[in-house]
C-alpha cells in the first residue's frame, strides 16, 4: 500500500506508472491519493498580485523572497491553475513550465492510462466536499482582506508586513476571483514612499471561465492563505502598526474536481454537486473508488470516517463511492391501496432489488428502478432498495406508514395519581406524518399547554376524585383510531415541601414550606431525596445533614415523568416531577 498526500500523490502516481511502463513489478496492491492535485492547485490570484506589488513597487525583500521561492518555485509553476507570471486576466498557468509538466505526467505509464498506474487498486480521498458545498464566502469577487499600515517614525524595523509599511503608509485589498465568466477586481493598493500625496496606486482584475464558479470558492481541500498573511503581518508597537479587516480564512486549495482527476476538467463547473451519481460507473474518474466528505476540510486532513474507509480498503473490503440514492413517492403515508416508489440517481449498469421487513405491505416487481407497494393492513413498514453498481453495493431504506394510527401507536405516558390543584404532564409517541394530537382531560381540570403536540400540560381540579386523560393521533389517512387513555387518581395531599422548577431541565430544588405543620406534626428538615421513574426504579439518591433546602442535578435524566421522594427522618413525601430536554 502507498499513501500519497498532496504533491506526494503525483510523485507516487508517476513512480508507479513509470514502473509499469518499464515492465517492472511495483508490488503495490493499493494506492491511496490523499487530496492530490491531479488537475492543479489554486492559490487566489489576488494574493499573488499582492506579493508582486509590494516586491516590485516597495522593493521589499520579504515579499520578494516569498514571491521567488514559494509562488515562483518550480513546483508552484507546475501546479498552479492561475499563475501571476502568465499576465493573463483569465486563469492561465506559468508559461511553458506547467505545459511540459502535464505532458510528461500524462505520457507516462501504460498506453491509454493517462499517466495513472493500472496494475493495482487506486482510490482517492478528497478533503473537498462532494456535495457542492462552497467555501465561505460562497461567491466570487468578495473582499477577503483589507490591510492598512503606517510607520510612526523613520526607523527601520524587520518583519514581513512591517517592512512594507516602514516608509510613510500603505493600504491594500485582496478579493476572490469572479464567477461564471465575469470580470472583477482581485487586488488594489497604494503605497506612499515619502508623502501621502505621492501615492503609487495599482489594481488588478481577473476573469473566471464562463462554465464555473470562482476557483477560490469551489468545493475543495482548504488552505488559510489570507489568514497566513494576517498572522505574519500583524504589528502593533510604538514605532509601527498594521490593521487587518474583512479577513476570510479559507480558500479552495485542492478543488474536489482536481483531487478526483475528473474528465473534461476545463469544461466543468468546479462547484458541481457530484453526489447524485457514481463517478466510477460513469467513467468520469480514473479511480476505482473515492471518498468525499459532505463539508470542506483542511488540506490533507484525516477524519475517523475517511480513516475507517481506507482501513476497510486495506483489509480487502472494497468500499462503495459516496453517491446518494433517494427513494421518492407521491403518496406517503400510504392511504390508498397502492403507492409507487423509485430509486433515483442511478447510473448505467446498475441493478436494484426491493425488499421489506413488514408483512403489512407487498412489493411488485422486486427488481428494477421502480416498484409498486400494495397495502395489506395498517401498520409500519421499511422499504429497502439494494443497489448493485460497478463499484459495489449500497443500501437505502425508507420508513413508511401504512394507513392511519391506532391507540397502540400512541400510548399515554404520565402519572396515575396526583394531588389536587397540581400541574401534571403527559406525553405520547412522536409519530412520523402525524397531522394532529387531540388531547382530552377531566372537565374540572385546567388546560396549560400542548394541545396538538405529543406533550400535554394540565392542572388538576380542587375535587379529590379521578379522571381520564387521553389522546387520538391523526395523519393524512384518517383522524386516528380509538383514543389511548390514562386514568389519574386525584388526592388531597397537603404537601410539607415545595419543589421548583417543575418541569425542570438541569436542576431541581426542594425546600420546606414556611408553614408546614399538619396534625400537630412539623417537618422542616430534609435528610434524603430520591427520584424514581414510573416503574419504581431508583434513578437518583442523595443524603443531606438535616437541611431545609436541597438542590439536585438532574441533567442526566431523560425527558419524562418521575416521582421525587423527600425524607425527613422516618417521614416520606412523594411529589411528581417532570423533566424536559
Amino acid at each position: 500500500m502507498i499513501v500519497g498526500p498532496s504533491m506526494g500523490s503525483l510523485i507516487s502516481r508517476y513512480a508507479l506508472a513509470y514502473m509499469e511502463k518499464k515492465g517492472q513489478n511495483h508490488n503495490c496492491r493499493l494506492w491511496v491519493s490523499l487530496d492530490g492535485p491531479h488537475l492543479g492547485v489554486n492559490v487566489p490570484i489576488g494574493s499573488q498580485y499582492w506579493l508582486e506589488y509590494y516586491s516590485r513597487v516597495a522593493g521589499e525583500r520579504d515579499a520578494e523572497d516569498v514571491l521567488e521561492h514559494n509562488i515562483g518555485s518550480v513546483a508552484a509553476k507546475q501546479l498552479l491553475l492561475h499563475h501571476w507570471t502568465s499576465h493573463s486576466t483569465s486563469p492561465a498557468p506559468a508559461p511553458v513550465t506547467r505545459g511540459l509538466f502535464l505532458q510528461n505526467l500524462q505520457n507516462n505509464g501504460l498506453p491509454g492510462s493517462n499517466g495513472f498506474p493500472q496494475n493495482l487498486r487506486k482510490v482517492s480521498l478528497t478533503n473537498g466536499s462532494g456535495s457542492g458545498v462552497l467555501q465561505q464566502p460562497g461567491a466570487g469577487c468578495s473582499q477577503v482582506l483589507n490591510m492598512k499600515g503606517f510607520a510612526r517614525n523613520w526607523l527601520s524595523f524587520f518583519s514581513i508586513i512591517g517592512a512594507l509599511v516602514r516608509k510613510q503608509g500603505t493600504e491594500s485589498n485582496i478579493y476572490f476571483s469572479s464567477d461564471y465568466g465575469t470580470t472583477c477586481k482581485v487586488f488594489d493598493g497604494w503605497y506612499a514612499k515619502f508623502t501621502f500625496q505621492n501615492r503609487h496606486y495599482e489594481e488588478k482584475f481577473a476573469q473566471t471561465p464562463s462554465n464555473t464558479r470562482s476557483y477560490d470558492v469551489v468545493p475543495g481541500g482548504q488552505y488559510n492563505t489570507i489568514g497566513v498573511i494576517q498572522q505574519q503581518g500583524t504589528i502593533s508597537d510604538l514605532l509601527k502598526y498594521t490593521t487587518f479587516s474583512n479577513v476570510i480564512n479559507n480558500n479552495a486549495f485542492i478543488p474536489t474536481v482536481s483531487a478526483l482527476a475528473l474528465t473534461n476538467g476545463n469544461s466543468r463547473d468546479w462547484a458541481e454537486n457530484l453526489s447524485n451519481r457514481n463517478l466510477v460507473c460513469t467513467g468520469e474518474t480514473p479511480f476505482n473508488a473515492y471518498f468525499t466528505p459532505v463539508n470542506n476540510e483542511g488540506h490533507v486532513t484525516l477524519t475517523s470516517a475517511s480513516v475507517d474507509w481506507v482501513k476497510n480498503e486495506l483489509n480487502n473490503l472494497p468500499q462503495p463511492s459516496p453517491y446518494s440514492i433517494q427513494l421518492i413517492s407521491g403518496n406517503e403515508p400510504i392511504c390508498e391501496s397502492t403507492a409507487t416508489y423509485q430509486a433515483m440517481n442511478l447510473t448505467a449498469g446498475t441493478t436494484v432489488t426491493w425488499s421489506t421487513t413488514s408483512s403489512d405491505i407487498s412489493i411488485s416487481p422486486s427488481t428494477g428502478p421502480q416498484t409498486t407497494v400494495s397495502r395489506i393492513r395498517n401498520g409500519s413498514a421499511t422499504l429497502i432498495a439494494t443497489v448493485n453498481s460497478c463499484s459495489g453495493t449500497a443500501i437505502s431504506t425508507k420508513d413508511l406508514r401504512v394507513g392511519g394510527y391506532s391507540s397502540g401507536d400512541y400510548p399515554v405516558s404520565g402519572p396515575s395519581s396526583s394531588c389536587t390543584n397540581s400541574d401534571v404532564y403527559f406525553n405520547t409517541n412522536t409519530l412520523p406524518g402525524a397531522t394532529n394530537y387531540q388531547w382530552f382531560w377531566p372537565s374540572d381540570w385546567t388546560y396549560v399547554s400542548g394541545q396538538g403536540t405529543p406533550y400535554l400540560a394540565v392542572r388538576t381540579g380542587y375535587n379529590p376524585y379521578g379522571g381520564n386523560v387521553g389522546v387520538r393521533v391523526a395523519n393524512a389517512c384518517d383522524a386516528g383510531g380509538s383514543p389511548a387513555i390514562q386514568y389519574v387518581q386525584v388526592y388531597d395531599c397537603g404537601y410539607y415541601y415545595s419543589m421548583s422548577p417543575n418541569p425542570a431541565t438541569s436542576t431541581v430544588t426542594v425546600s420546606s414550606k414556611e408553614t408546614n405543620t399538619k396534625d400537630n406534626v412539623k417537618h422542616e428538615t430534609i435528610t434524603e431525596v430520591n427520584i424514581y421513574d414510573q416503574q419504581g426504579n431508583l434513578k437518583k439518591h442523595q443524603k443531606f445533614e438535616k437541611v431545609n433546602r436541597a438542590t439536585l442535578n438532574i441533567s442526566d435524566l431523560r425527558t419524562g415523568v418521575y416521582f421525587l421522594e423527600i425524607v425527613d427522618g422516618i417521614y416520606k413525601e412523594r411529589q411528581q416531577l417532570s423533566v424536559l430536554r
Side-chain angles (χ1 to χ4, degrees), residues 19-70:
M19 294 181 72
E20 292 181 353
K21 182 178 182 179
K22 296 298 183 180
Q24 301 171 356
N25 186 0
H26 48 58
N27 293 312
C28 181
R29 179 182 62 83
L30 177 66
W31 170 52
V32 181
S33 170
L34 174 56
D35 216 28
H38 298 285
L39 299 186
V41 169
N42 173 67
V43 171
I45 189 63
S47 64
Q48 297 181 53
Y49 285 135
W50 189 91
L51 289 168
E52 191 274 336
Y53 176 80
Y54 284 111
S55 173
R56 172 174 49 84
V57 175
E60 298 303 337
R61 294 181 180 178
D62 293 310
E64 184 178 355
D65 183 70
V66 174
L67 191 68
E68 179 180 353
H69 296 100
N70 294 84

Side-chain angles (χ1 to χ4, degrees), residues 225-274:
T225 303
I226 308 302
V228 169
I229 291 175
Q230 179 192 23
Q231 181 182 16
Q232 294 182 349
T234 300
I235 305 168
S236 180
D237 59 32
L238 294 175
L239 301 179
K240 54 195 178 293
Y241 69 90
T242 56
T243 61
F244 292 84
S245 60
N246 299 330
V247 176
I248 300 298
N249 288 326
N250 289 312
N251 60 270
F253 182 55
I254 309 295
T256 303
V257 168
S258 177
L260 293 174
L262 297 188
T263 57
N264 301 319
N266 291 333
S267 60
R268 286 182 175 274
D269 184 348
W270 287 42
E272 181 184 4
N273 183 349
L274 302 171

Side-chain angles (χ1 to χ4, degrees), residues 41 70-81 83 94 97-98:
V41 169
N70 294 84
I71 301 299
S73 68
V74 173
K77 289 182 176 180
Q78 289 175 333
L79 295 177
L80 279 174
L81 294 164
H83 197 276
T97 309
R98 178 160 173 77

Side-chain angles (χ1 to χ4, degrees), residues 121-161:
R121 181 169 173 83
K122 47 189 180 293
V123 300
S124 174
L125 298 184
T126 80
N127 292 122
S129 169
S131 302
V133 177
L134 302 177
Q135 312 290 335
Q136 294 298 325
C141 303
S142 302
Q143 183 185 36
V144 294
L145 178 139
N146 169 262
M147 187 273 284
K148 297 177 182 178
F150 298 93
R152 292 189 170 96
N153 61 27
W154 296 96
L155 298 178
S156 296
F157 48 88
F158 300 93
S159 70
I160 293 177
I161 304 300

Side-chain angles (χ1 to χ4, degrees), residues 328-506:
I328 64 171
S329 172
N331 190 7
E332 203 281 325
I334 303 176
C335 300
E336 305 299 329
S337 58
T338 61
T340 300
Y341 292 82
Q342 185 172 0
M344 302 298 292
N345 301 337
L346 303 179
T347 53
T350 300
T351 62
V352 182
T353 302
W354 299 91
S355 60
T356 182
T357 59
S358 174
S359 59
D360 297 332
I361 60 174
S362 63
I363 299 171
S364 181
S366 59
T367 58
Q370 181 174 296
T371 191
T372 298
V373 173
S374 298
R375 173 181 175 181
I376 297 176
R377 65 182 70 86
N378 288 3
S380 297
T382 299
L383 186 62
I384 304 169
T386 302
V387 180
N388 293 288
S389 67
C390 65
S391 63
T393 299
I395 295 177
S396 184
T397 63
K398 185 175 183 66
D399 293 327
L400 304 175
R401 177 65 202 178
V402 184
Y405 290 110
S406 62
S407 59
D409 297 311
Y410 42 82
V412 176
S413 296
S416 58
S417 63
S418 179
C419 295
T420 59
N421 194 32
S422 298
D423 289 335
V424 285
Y425 305 89
F426 302 88
N427 66 278
T428 189
N429 295 333
T430 300
L431 300 174
T435 57
N436 189 34
Y437 294 80
Q438 185 64 44
W439 291 93
F440 59 88
W441 50 86
S443 59
D444 66 321
W445 292 18
T446 303
Y447 169 72
V448 178
S449 64
Q451 184 68 280
T453 76
Y455 304 96
L456 175 70
V458 288
R459 177 174 285 272
T460 59
Y462 287 92
N463 296 320
Y465 58 83
N468 289 326
V469 175
V471 67
R472 293 180 70 194
V473 181
N475 68 1
C477 297
D478 59 43
S482 59
I485 296 173
Q486 169 75 43
Y487 180 79
V488 183
Q489 179 66 55
V490 179
Y491 298 97
D492 184 6
C493 300
Y495 289 137
Y496 289 115
Y497 298 91
S498 63
M499 175 175 58
S500 67
N502 190 13
T505 57
S506 57

